[in-house]
Amino acid sequence: MLLEDLNVILKVAEFRSITAAAASLDMSTATASAAIKRVERALDVELFIRTTRRLRLSIAGERYIPHCEQALQMLDQAKQNVKDDLDIIDGELRISVPSDLGRHLILPWLDEFMQTHKGVSVKLHISDSNIDFYRDPVDIALRYGSPTDANLYGFKICNVPRVLCATPKYLEKNGAPKHPHDLTTHNGLLYQLHDMLHDVWAFSQQGKIIKVKMQSNRTSNDAELVRRWCVSGKGVAAKSSLDMSNDLLSNKIIPILTEFTLNPTELWLICPSRQTITPAVRLLREHLKMKCAEVYSQLIDKGIVTKADVE
């Protein structure tokens, strides 16, 4: 009996769906169905009762699944203990990253990580949407904002100040705003996730909150496109300082209204369970912390953010 087949059995039991289980394991439904048949044939019992509309565990399945899950966990732990004893770091990292941050910073950071740990492979999923660990073929996700689901495990990577920015050429042509209210005459480059359009920008100064509803001729659900528009001088953007760090350091864009503070965010590495927190994931977490600290050290030296902003 193949261990891979037993993993399929556990996923089908979890999802109560062969199709959903196959998607989470990145395999075809036919392959998952064949795995179920092999296990049932080896046990000479039917683990699932299938109808045209639903799938449920049989009595034998209800008794077998907990023992199967426990046995696989013990095997995984034994395998990991051997690797820990030998200082072996390997395995596949199925990670989801935000579009802009992923393409411009995380990609080279992952290359550097894999160069150090040659036994690690990566499957990269680029998306700004929230991850459904039960549906999407990923094990860990890098996301802005702390996890809201208490069932998830999260590791904070760093604080992330947000910046209002534009190109010198755009500001020369349209004038530099002196106050957030001046932004009503500027073109805002807007981000929209699902049905939520982020067209109201909130600033704070000495405890006072100032909100501005932006006008715009460009909106996208891809944060990288917002960055591209900003760098090409199409308007003003309110963005993560990490996303814009390379452009800020190279003077392609400059921060504006720096005496006013945009609501900051945080960068988190999120895992669905303790089982996904492997030694490779822990090392990746430390690698990301180190790389983010290096970026912010440069931004602090250039006066774009302050030390207090990132602590």
Side-chain angles (χ1 to χ4, degrees), residues 206-260:
Q206 298 177 348
K208 182 180 179 183
I209 304 298
I210 304 166
K211 294 184 178 181
V212 180
K213 185 174 178 61
M214 297 298 299
Q215 302 300 313
S216 175
N217 64 7
R218 283 177 170 82
T219 300
S220 177
N221 67 342
D222 188 323
E224 186 196 12
L225 288 184
V226 176
R227 186 195 65 83
R228 288 189 186 185
W229 286 333
C230 183
V231 172
S232 61
K234 299 299 190 295
V236 177
K239 289 273 290 174
S240 149
S241 52
L242 273 179
D243 286 358
M244 307 303 289
S245 58
N246 287 335
D247 302 308
L248 288 164
L249 292 169
S250 64
N251 297 316
K252 290 181 180 178
I253 58 172
I254 58 176
I256 54 180
L257 294 180
T258 54
E259 62 272 30
F260 298 88

Side-chain angles (χ1 to χ4, degrees), residues 109-228:
W109 293 353
L110 282 175
D111 288 341
E112 184 178 316
F113 183 79
M114 294 172 70
Q115 184 64 31
T116 303
H117 305 287
K118 297 185 183 297
V120 172
S121 63
V122 167
K123 275 191 177 179
L124 197 61
H125 179 274
I126 291 186
S127 172
D128 288 325
S129 299
N130 290 331
I131 286 296
D132 184 342
F133 286 106
Y134 296 105
R135 299 291 177 182
D136 299 318
V138 298
D139 300 315
I140 53 177
L142 196 65
R143 284 292 181 268
Y144 285 120
S146 59
T148 55
D149 188 338
N151 294 318
L152 300 178
Y153 293 82
F155 302 97
K156 183 177 174 182
I157 302 299
C158 65
N159 290 323
V160 181
R162 294 171 66 235
V163 292
L164 188 71
C165 49
T167 62
K169 187 174 181 180
Y170 172 86
L171 295 172
E172 181 181 346
K173 179 180 178 181
N174 297 278
K178 306 296 184 184
H179 188 277
H181 290 316
D182 297 338
L183 292 172
T184 55
T185 63
H186 286 265
N187 188 44
L189 304 173
L190 302 182
Y191 175 66
Q192 179 170 348
L193 187 59
H194 305 303
D195 295 329
M196 182 176 292
L197 176 63
H198 296 271
D199 62 343
V200 176
W201 295 352
F203 301 82
S204 63
Q205 185 187 48
Q206 298 177 348
K208 182 180 179 183
I209 304 298
I210 304 166
K211 294 184 178 181
V212 180
K213 185 174 178 61
M214 297 298 299
Q215 302 300 313
S216 175
N217 64 7
R218 283 177 170 82
T219 300
S220 177
N221 67 342
D222 188 323
E224 186 196 12
L225 288 184
V226 176
R227 186 195 65 83
R228 288 189 186 185

Side-chain angles (χ1 to χ4, degrees), residues 238-301:
K239 289 273 290 174
S240 149
S241 52
L242 273 179
D243 286 358
M244 307 303 289
S245 58
N246 287 335
D247 302 308
L248 288 164
L249 292 169
S250 64
N251 297 316
K252 290 181 180 178
I253 58 172
I254 58 176
I256 54 180
L257 294 180
T258 54
E259 62 272 30
F260 298 88
T261 303
L262 283 164
N263 290 337
T265 185
E266 299 170 346
L267 186 65
W268 283 71
L269 187 65
I270 304 169
C271 308
S273 68
R274 288 188 180 276
Q275 284 70 37
T276 58
I277 308 172
T278 64
V281 170
R282 293 190 184 95
L283 285 174
L284 178 62
R285 175 191 64 193
E286 296 309 310
H287 181 67
L288 293 174
K289 283 185 175 182
M290 178 188 70
K291 300 305 292 186
C292 289
E294 290 176 357
V295 169
Y296 278 119
S297 177
Q298 296 178 66
L299 292 174
I300 290 170
D301 287 345

